[in-house]
Amino acid sequence: MLAIFGFQVVAGLISPTLGRLMDQHSMRWLVMTGSLCIAAGLSLMALSTAFWQIIVLQVTLLPVGMVLCGTLVSQIGRAHV
């Protein structure tokens, strides 16, 4: 639960900043960046050997990928097509 809690907190904190980036930059590049963050996070999680490594991945790469590929980008993306 600690990893999920950290994930949600970080995603909420970085959403305004990434939302501003979505207004300024191409959605395609941001979604591709988010996809790479998710792929890297899940790949590294598969290789992790300790719980703290999973927590670090859950509060770094995965929230960025989720925000850049989630509902925020789909809502903003429609306005800037």
Side-chain angles (χ1 to χ4, degrees), residues 18 22 27-39 62-75:
L18 293 179
M22 290 175 197
M27 287 295 175
R28 288 184 181 135
W29 288 106
L30 293 172
V31 170
M32 286 184 358
T33 302
S35 299
L36 290 174
C37 286
I38 291 173
L62 294 178
V64 173
M66 193 260 321
V67 171
L68 289 176
C69 293
T71 56
L72 184 62
V73 75
S74 67
Q75 292 172 0

Side-chain angles (χ1 to χ4, degrees), residues 31-55:
V31 170
M32 286 184 358
T33 302
S35 299
L36 290 174
C37 286
I38 291 173
L42 292 175
S43 297
L44 290 171
M45 195 176 292
L47 299 173
S48 65
T49 58
F51 183 64
W52 69 267
Q53 295 168 341
I54 292 173
I55 292 176

